[in-house]
Amino acid sequence: MKVKKENCYDLIVLGGGAGGLSTAAGAARLGIRTMLIERGRLGGDCLWVGCVPSKTLLHEADKMRDMREMFIGSSKGAGELMKDFDKNEYFKIALKRVKAVQSAIAVHDSSERFEQLGVHVVAGKGEFTSKKIIKVIGADGVAELYKFKKCVIATGSRPFVPEIFASVKYETNETIWDIAKLPESMTVIGGGSVGIEIATAFANFGTKVTMVQREKRLMSKEEPQVGDFMRATLETMGVKIYTNTNIKNVTYNEESQVKVVFDLLDDKGNVMREERVLSEVIFVSTGRKYNTALGLEAAKVSYSGKGIEINDYLETSNKKVYAIGDVNGKMLFTHAAGYQAKAVLQNMLMPKIFNFLKKKSLPEAFPWVTYTYPEVAHVGAYTRDLELKKIYYKQYITKLESVDRARTSETHEDGYIQILVGKKSKILGVTIVSPMAGELITEWTLAMQHGLPVEAIYNTVHAYPTLSELNPRGTFEHMQQKLNSPFIFILKYLFKIF
Ligand SMILES: Cc1cc2nc3c(=O)[nH]c(=O)nc-3n(C[C@H](O)[C@H](O)[C@H](O)COP(=O)(O)OP(=O)(O)OC[C@H]3O[C@@H](n4cnc5c(N)ncnc54)[C@H](O)[C@@H]3O)c2cc1C
C-alpha cells in the first residue's frame, strides 16, 4: 500500500493523553502540520482512570471524614449520629461527581477543539510499519498509512497485574470507577501511591480496608519516616496493614469472597507465619507496564521492560522519533508528560549544532505529590541518594504544629517538613507531610530550579496565618546555626562597642 500525498505530516503524535495532547496543541500553534492518533478516548489515563477520578473520589471521601470528625466529642459519638446516613447512596453520588468532573474537563481534550487548533485527529490503533510510516487501524478494521518527518510517541502505560491474580475478578485503576456499589470490604494489594490513595478514599467512605504490601514499608520510594507516618495514619482510619509479605495464592472461598493467602516475612526474608485476608473486592496496584506494542522493531526504536529507551533529549534510537510521558518510564506523572511535551517541541526544532539549547528529559527540580490526608510532597534528593553519593548534607525536621494556621484549622496533628541542606545553604531535597503539601512544595521547586539557597525562603515574606509559613519555619534551625558564624560574631562585638 502506498502513502497518499495528503497523509504526509510534519509531525505525527501517537497517543492522545496528557503528553500527546500537549505536544499536538503546541506544534499546531507553531504552525507545524500535525496529526494525532488515539485508539481510545482523548485525555488518556489522567482524565479517565488516573489523576482526575482519583482526586475527585478522594475529595468526596474527605467530606465523609470531616463529617465523622465533626461528631467526635459529641455525647452520642460519630457512630450513633451517622447510623442513619446511607453511605452507599453517598458513594453513588460521589461516583456521579467523578463522571461530571471528567465530562467537564473532557471538553478541553475533545477532537473538535484539537481540529480547531489545526491538529488532524485520527481515531484508531497506530503501529509503525517502517522508520517513517505508521499504519492506523480504525474501529471498522480499515487500515490507512501515514508518513511523518518527526514522530512523538506518547502511548503511556497500563496496570501490571501479576499472574497470581488471574483466577479471580480483580479491580485496577482502569475498572474501579465503574464499581456497582461501595464494597463492605476491600483488599488493596500494593502500598505505593495508587494503592494508598485508593485505600484512603475507600476507608473514608466506610469500607473495611486491608492493605498487603510486598516491601517492608509503605511508599518505599519516599524517606523511611514517610512510610511509617502513612502507616500510622491509615491505621488511625481503620486500615489493617501487612508489610513485608509474599503472596502465595489468591482464590475464592465458599461465600465468593476473594481469599488472599500470604507469608509474613521477617527482616531477613524468613517466613514468620502464614496470614489470609478475605474481602468482597480486591484492588491490585502492583506497578505499571509500558504500552510498547507499536511495531517498534520496524521503526528501529529500542525498548525494554522499562519502557522506550531515550537519551537526555527524549530522542529514541530512531533520530526522527521521540518518546515522552509514561512510555519512556522516567517519571510517571502528568506534569512529567506535560514538561516533556514542551521539551520535545523545543528539541525537535533545534538542529544538532544547537544541542546546548535543547531541554533535558527532566528539569533540575521535579516535584511529586501523593494525595492522601495529609498529602505527601517531595522534590529533589532523598537522604539515601546523598549518602550513596557521599554528598555532605544536614537534615532539618520541623513539625507542622509550629504553624499557627495548622492550629486554627485543626490540621496540626503530626505533619512536618524535612529539609536537606548542602554546602553554601544549597537546597538539596524537601519532603512535606501536611494538608496542601502539594501547594507548599512549589516554592521549594522554584528555588531549586533557579539555584536559590535556603535564605531565599527564609527572607520571603509569607502571609500570616497561612500553612505556607511552614516553609520559612523549616529554615529556622539552619538560619539559627548561621548566627554562630565568625561574621555575626564580629557584628555582635562591634554592636557592644558602638
Ligand atoms: C490511579 C492513578 C492516579 C494518578 N494520579 C496522578 C496525579 O495525581 N498526578 C500526576 O501527575 N499523575 C498521576 N498519575 C499518573 C498519570 O496518570 C500519568 O503519568 C499520565 O497519564 C501519563 O500521560 P501519558 O500522556 O504519558 O500517557 P496516557 O495518559 O496514558 O496516554 C496515552 C494514550 O495513548 C493511547 N494509546 C496507547 N497505545 C496506542 C496506540 N497504539 N495507538 C493509538 N493510541 C494509543 C492510550 O489510549 C492513551 O489515551 C496517576 C496514575 C494513576 C494510575
Side-chain angles (χ1 to χ4, degrees):
M1 206 176 7
K2 262 191 89 182
V3 183
K4 293 176 198 154
K5 203 168 165 226
E6 66 271 23
N7 285 358
C8 297
Y9 286 85
D10 294 337
L11 173 65
I12 292 185
V13 180
L14 187 53
L21 287 171
S22 303
T23 309
R29 285 194 184 104
L30 290 169
I32 296 171
R33 189 170 137 77
T34 305
M35 172 179 147
L36 173 67
I37 307 167
E38 170 55 52
R39 67 174 177 189
R41 292 181 285 185
L42 288 172
D45 268 21
C46 181
L47 175 57
W48 300 111
V49 294
C51 339
V52 173
S54 60
K55 268 79 257 181
T56 313
L57 200 70
L58 276 163
H59 176 72
E60 293 301 319
D62 276 357
K63 291 183 196 165
M64 286 280 280
R65 188 202 57 234
D66 287 349
M67 209 157 27
R68 257 186 236 112
E69 281 181 2
M70 212 166 72
F71 295 137
I72 287 171
S74 76
S75 54
K76 285 187 173 171
E80 174 65 15
L81 283 166
M82 287 184 71
K83 78 173 186 316
D84 293 330
F85 183 82
D86 189 343
K87 56 183 188 189
N88 235 316
E89 199 50 39
Y90 180 64
F91 181 68
K92 276 190 205 153
I93 294 171
L95 286 186
K96 268 194 200 149
R97 191 150 173 276
V98 168
K99 303 266 185 276
V101 172
Q102 287 173 319
S103 305
I105 297 176
V107 176
H108 300 282
D109 297 349
S110 66
S111 57
E112 293 76 19
R113 180 167 168 262
F114 275 79
E115 291 283 350
Q116 267 171 18
L117 286 173
V119 178
H120 178 44
V121 182
V122 172
K125 182 180 182 302
E127 64 180 49
F128 293 90
T129 59
S130 77
K131 283 175 84 175
K132 288 183 185 170
I133 294 174
I134 292 183
K135 177 170 76 181
V136 180
I137 305 161
D140 50 7
V142 176
E144 186 82 35
L145 293 182
Y146 297 89
K147 194 170 178 187
F148 58 83
K149 281 192 188 143
K150 303 265 177 180
C151 174
V152 172
I153 305 174
T155 47
S157 64
R158 63 188 188 283
F160 162 70
V161 179
E163 250 324 283
I164 203 159
F165 298 100
S167 57
V168 297
K169 180 181 180 311
Y170 54 81
E171 305 289 339
T172 67
N173 73 291
E174 292 189 338
T175 57
I176 192 79
W177 324 110
D178 294 314
I179 194 166
K181 68 178 219 358
L182 182 68
E184 282 299 321
S185 55
M186 175 189 263
T187 306
V188 174
I189 310 290
S193 53
V194 173
I196 289 193
E197 287 185 4
I198 287 293
T200 303
F202 279 85
N204 278 334
F205 276 118
T207 297
K208 184 173 164 286
V209 179
T210 305
M211 178 172 273
V212 181
Q213 155 78 324
R214 190 181 58 179
E215 312 292 329
K216 289 180 187 152
R217 281 200 166 85
L218 303 185
M219 298 180 78
S220 53
K221 288 183 192 138
E222 299 294 335
E223 293 285 0
Q225 58 264 49
V226 170
D228 296 342
F229 181 96
M230 217 22 91
R231 180 178 192 134
T233 308
L234 285 167
E235 283 173 345
T236 317
M237 292 176 191
V239 178
K240 171 96 184 141
I241 297 170
Y242 295 96
T243 50
N244 209 7
T245 65
N246 179 29
I247 297 181
K248 293 198 297 191
N249 65 65
V250 184
T251 49
Y252 288 113
N253 71 357
E254 301 78 52
E255 281 100 50
S256 303
Q257 288 176 307
V258 185
K259 182 167 79 175
V260 181
V261 181
F262 54 94
D263 282 335
L264 263 184
L265 310 177
D266 66 15
D267 277 352
K268 292 189 180 131
N270 302 315
V271 176
M272 293 198 297
R273 63 174 190 277
E274 190 184 272
E275 287 279 352
R276 57 195 54 208
V277 183
L278 293 170
S279 61
E280 188 184 331
V281 166
I282 174 169
F283 180 86
V284 184
S285 49
T286 42
R288 309 288 296 171
K289 271 191 349 195
Y290 304 98
N291 293 330
T292 48
L294 307 165
L296 293 173
E297 293 77 5
K300 304 274 182 283
V301 170
S302 306
Y303 67 101
S304 71
K306 292 179 180 166
I308 293 182
E309 290 165 15
I310 53 162
N311 65 11
D312 268 359
Y313 307 115
L314 300 156
E315 293 161 348
T316 68
S317 48
N318 173 346
K319 290 290 167 269
K320 303 216 170 297
V321 178
Y322 299 76
I324 66 164
D326 279 15
V327 78
N328 67 31
K330 294 285 173 212
M331 282 283 178
L332 277 56
F333 295 99
T334 294
H335 49 289
Y339 169 85
Q340 291 177 353
K342 280 190 211 153
V344 87
L345 284 172
Q346 180 162 328
N347 295 355
M348 220 165 15
L349 293 172
M350 292 293 165
K352 209 172 174 186
I353 49 159
F354 291 125
N355 258 359
F356 64 97
L357 289 177
K358 286 187 177 173
K359 274 193 161 189
K360 291 268 172 87
S361 56
L362 285 173
E364 290 294 315
F366 184 85
W368 57 84
V369 184
T370 303
Y371 294 85
T372 38
Y373 185 83
E375 293 176 0
V376 177
H378 178 83
V379 63
Y382 292 109
T383 46
R384 62 171 178 272
D385 305 329
L386 300 172
E387 269 152 31
L388 207 68
K389 292 181 190 159
K390 297 196 170 25
I391 296 174
Y392 166 88
Y393 74 92
K394 274 196 163 181
Q395 172 176 227
Y396 302 98
I397 296 183
T398 308
K399 286 193 170 176
L400 178 61
E401 65 189 18
S402 62
V403 175
D404 289 354
R405 184 58 184 268
R407 289 189 181 276
T408 62
S409 317
E410 286 186 296
T411 53
H412 64 275
E413 286 110 316
D414 299 308
Y416 64 90
I417 183 167
Q418 176 215 42
I419 304 171
L420 307 178
V421 183
K423 286 185 180 153
K424 297 189 180 156
S425 296
K426 185 173 180 185
I427 306 163
L428 299 173
V430 178
T431 298
I432 304 177
V433 180
S434 156
M436 315 291 277
E439 316 296 325
L440 305 186
I441 203 74
T442 306
E443 185 174 0
W444 294 97
T445 310
L446 184 78
M448 288 176 78
Q449 181 68 30
H450 296 278
L452 301 175
V454 171
E455 286 80 345
I457 306 284
Y458 174 80
N459 288 322
T460 298
V461 179
H462 292 71
Y464 176 86
T466 57
L467 279 184
S468 73
E469 286 181 282
L470 183 62
N471 289 341
R473 278 268 165 191
T475 71
F476 280 11
E477 201 185 331
H478 175 76
M479 297 307 293
Q480 183 67 39
Q481 283 173 6
K482 289 196 79 173
L483 287 179
N484 300 329
S485 72
F487 176 63
I488 297 290
F489 182 77
I490 293 166
L491 282 185
K492 281 195 266 186
Y493 183 70
L494 292 175
F495 178 76
K496 277 187 189 153
I497 299 176
F498 299 107

